[in-house]
Structures are given as C-alpha cells and as structure tokens.
C-alpha cells in the first residue's frame, strides 16, 4: 500500500495525464511541504514494511531449520 501511495505522488508530480472522466487533472509539478511529508512518510512506511516482511521470513526460516517453535514475546510458559 505504501509503495502504491508513493508511486501515485511521484507519478502525478512528473507525468501530466490530463483529466480522466469527472475527476480533475491531478498533475502538480511543485513540491510543497505537505507533498514532501507525504512522500517521506510513504517511503518510510514502505521501508519498514519491507524490513518487517524480511525479518518475519528470516525468523520463520530459522525456526523451521532448527525445529524450534516461535514464542510470542511476553508469553508465559506452563
């Protein structure tokens, strides 16, 4: 989702598609503070999501290889 949002911000910054149907044209070349903050937040969300995906995959691969069972942090043992 974050990558799609970032792609939309960058696409409408650099490509003038024109008006498609009832919505007005979305082309806006200048960078203003709100647009910059949006692009930075979406890029950060994309990086954090990718890191979480890689970490989850790596932890899953490690636990499958060793035969260990993943435990939730803070879970009480019986």
């Amino acid at each position: 989702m974050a990558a799609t949002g970032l792609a939309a911000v960058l696409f409408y910054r650099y490509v003038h598609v024109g008006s498609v149907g009832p919505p007005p044209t979305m082309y806006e070349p200048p960078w203003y503070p709100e647009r910059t903050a949006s692009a930075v937040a979406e890029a950060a969300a994309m990086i954090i999501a990718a890191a979480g995906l890689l970490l989850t995959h790596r932890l899953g691969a490690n636990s499958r290889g060793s035969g260990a069972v993943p435990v939730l942090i803070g879970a009480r043992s019986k």
Side-chain angles (χ1 to χ4, degrees):
M1 283 306 275
T4 304
L6 180 60
V9 169
L10 295 175
F11 182 77
Y12 285 120
R13 162 59 177 95
Y14 295 107
V15 179
H16 183 38
V17 177
S19 181
V20 180
T25 183
M26 300 291 287
Y27 178 67
E28 271 188 65
W31 282 98
Y32 45 88
E34 293 85 1
R35 172 179 267 174
T36 304
S38 170
V40 168
E42 288 163 351
M46 185 177 66
I47 291 168
I48 291 169
L53 183 64
L54 290 173
L55 181 63
T56 302
H57 177 66
R58 190 173 291 241
L59 288 175
N62 286 342
S63 66
R64 281 191 299 272
S66 66
V69 177
V71 178
L72 295 174
I73 295 174
R76 297 181 187 196
S77 61
K78 294 182 180 182

